[in-house]
C-alpha cells in the first residue's frame, strides 16, 4: 500500500484533517467490499486538495468518511482536533453545521425558496438568529457574485448561478473546511472554469481548507495538492503547490516556510 511520507514534526494546530488507518466496508450480496483500505491522510489548514481516481476507487467514500457523513469501520478521523468517533449522531450533525460546508454536483437547492433563503436555511436550522442568518447569507452571496439573483428561485437561474449559490451556502456559516464532490460535473467547460477560479480565489482570501473530489484533470491541476486513488488506496500524493496558487500574505508565507522546515 502506498503511504505518503509522514510529517512527524507538524504542529497539531496546523492539521485540519488527521486521519489514520481508515477502513470502510460495504455489504454487497453476501460479501464485503473494502471501499477504503487503511488510509492515512493529513491535510493542513488552508490547503486546496483534489482527490482523483477512476469511478469506484473510493474517493467519494473517503470524502463522506472524513466529513462524518458516513461512519468508518476502523481507524480514527480528527477534524480540527475533534475525534469524530467521540461524537453522537446529533453532535456530528451539529459539528458539520458549524465547521464544514458542502458543495455537490446536484446543487441541492430547494426549488420553492429564493437564492438567499436557500443560503440562510442551514443557519436558521442550526439556531442562528434570523437577522444574523440573513446578513451572513447576503454577504456570502455578494462574495460569489450573484447578488442580483438573491430573490430568484433556482429554476430561474443558470447552472453556474445555482452552483454559486451552493458555494455561498457552504461559506455562509464560515466553515473551516469546504468539501466539494464533483462541483463542476453538471456544468459546461466555461462555467466550470469560472466556478473553480472562484473557489481558488476564496481560498486565497479566507484561507479556508478546500477538499475537491473530481474526475477532471483541469480541476485537479488547480489544487495545491493532488491525491490519486485506486481500489480504496492512495496511490500518489503530490503536495507541491504551483507558484501561482501560493498564499501571498507575509504571515501565511512565514507559516509555509516553517512547515517546509518541519517537513
Amino acid at each position: 500500500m502506498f503511504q505518503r511520507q509522514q510529517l512527524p514534526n507538524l504542529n497539531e494546530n496546523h492539521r485540519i484533517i488527521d486521519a489514520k488507518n481508515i477502513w470502510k466496508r460495504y455489504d454487497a450480496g453476501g460479501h464485503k467490499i473494502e471501499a477504503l483500505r487503511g488510509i492515512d491522510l493529513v491535510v493542513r489548514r488552508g490547503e486546496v486538495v483534489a482527490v482523483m481516481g477512476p469511478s469506484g476507487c473510493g474517493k467519494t467514500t473517503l470524502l463522506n468518511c472524513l466529513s462524518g457523513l458516513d461512519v468508518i469501520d476502523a481507524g480514527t478521523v480528527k477534524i480540527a482536533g475533534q475525534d469524530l468517533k467521540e461524537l453522537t449522531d446529533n453532535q456530528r450533525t451539529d459539528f458539520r453545521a458549524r465547521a464544514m460546508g458542502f458543495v455537490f454536483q446536484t446543487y441541492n437547492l430547494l426549488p420553492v425558496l429564493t437564492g438567499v433563503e436557500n443560503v440562510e436555511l442551514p443557519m436558521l436550522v442550526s439556531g442562528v438568529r434570523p437577522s444574523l442568518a440573513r446578513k451572513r447569507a447576503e454577504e456570502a452571496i455578494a462574495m460569489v457574485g450573484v447578488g442580483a439573483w438573491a430573490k430568484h428561485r433556482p429554476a430561474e437561474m443558470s447552472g453556474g448561478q445555482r452552483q454559486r449559490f451552493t458555494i455561498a451556502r457552504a461559506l455562509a456559516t464560515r466553515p473551516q473546511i469546504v468539501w466539494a464532490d464533483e462541483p463542476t460535473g453538471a456544468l459546461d467547460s466555461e462555467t466550470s472554469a469560472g466556478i473553480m477560479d472562484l473557489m481558488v480565489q476564496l481560498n486565497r482570501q479566507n484561507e479556508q481548507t478546500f477538499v475537491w473530489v473530481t474526475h477532471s484533470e483541469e480541476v485537479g491541476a488547480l489544487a495545491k495538492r493532488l491525491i490519486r486513488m485506486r481500489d480504496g488506496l492512495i496511490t500518489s500524493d503530490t503536495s507541491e503547490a504551483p507558484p501561482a496558487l501560493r498564499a501571498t500574505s507575509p504571515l501565511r508565507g512565514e507559516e509555509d516556510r516553517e512547515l517546509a522546515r518541519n517537513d
Side-chain angles (χ1 to χ4, degrees), residues 141-246:
I141 289 168
M143 190 184 303
V144 301
V146 285
W149 292 85
K151 295 184 178 179
H152 289 256
R153 289 186 170 84
E156 301 172 296
M157 305 174 191
S158 69
Q161 288 165 341
R162 284 188 291 240
Q163 193 62 301
R164 284 175 181 260
F165 275 99
T166 302
I167 294 170
R169 183 181 58 193
L171 295 174
T173 56
R174 300 173 185 175
Q176 298 182 61
I177 305 177
V178 177
W179 311 93
D181 191 358
E182 298 290 359
T184 62
L187 304 175
D188 61 75
S189 58
E190 183 177 351
T191 305
S192 297
I195 291 297
M196 298 314 301
D197 287 345
L198 172 64
M199 284 198 275
V200 169
Q201 179 184 355
L202 292 170
N203 165 261
R204 287 174 177 167
Q205 290 176 353
N206 304 330
E207 296 189 1
Q208 288 164 307
T209 305
F210 282 77
V211 178
W212 305 330
V213 164
T214 182
H215 282 93
S216 168
E217 293 289 345
E218 290 81 4
V219 171
L222 289 172
K224 295 180 180 179
R225 178 175 171 193
L226 179 58
I227 292 172
R228 294 188 183 272
M229 293 185 64
R230 182 176 292 275
D231 299 328
L233 299 170
I234 293 175
T235 57
S236 69
D237 184 346
T238 305
S239 302
E240 182 65 24
L245 297 186
R246 294 187 190 276

Side-chain angles (χ1 to χ4, degrees), residues 66-116:
L66 292 176
S67 65
L69 290 173
D70 205 349
V71 179
I72 60 177
D73 293 304
T76 60
V77 175
K78 292 183 180 180
I79 302 295
Q82 173 63 62
D83 189 336
L84 297 186
K85 271 190 175 179
E86 296 176 351
L87 303 177
T88 65
D89 288 344
N90 288 339
Q91 287 172 332
R92 267 198 306 275
T93 299
D94 180 65
F95 183 68
R96 280 196 302 272
R98 289 184 291 104
M100 306 178 193
F102 293 85
V103 179
F104 297 108
Q105 176 179 339
T106 53
Y107 314 130
N108 291 338
L109 298 174
L110 295 179
V112 298
L113 299 181
T114 64
V116 69

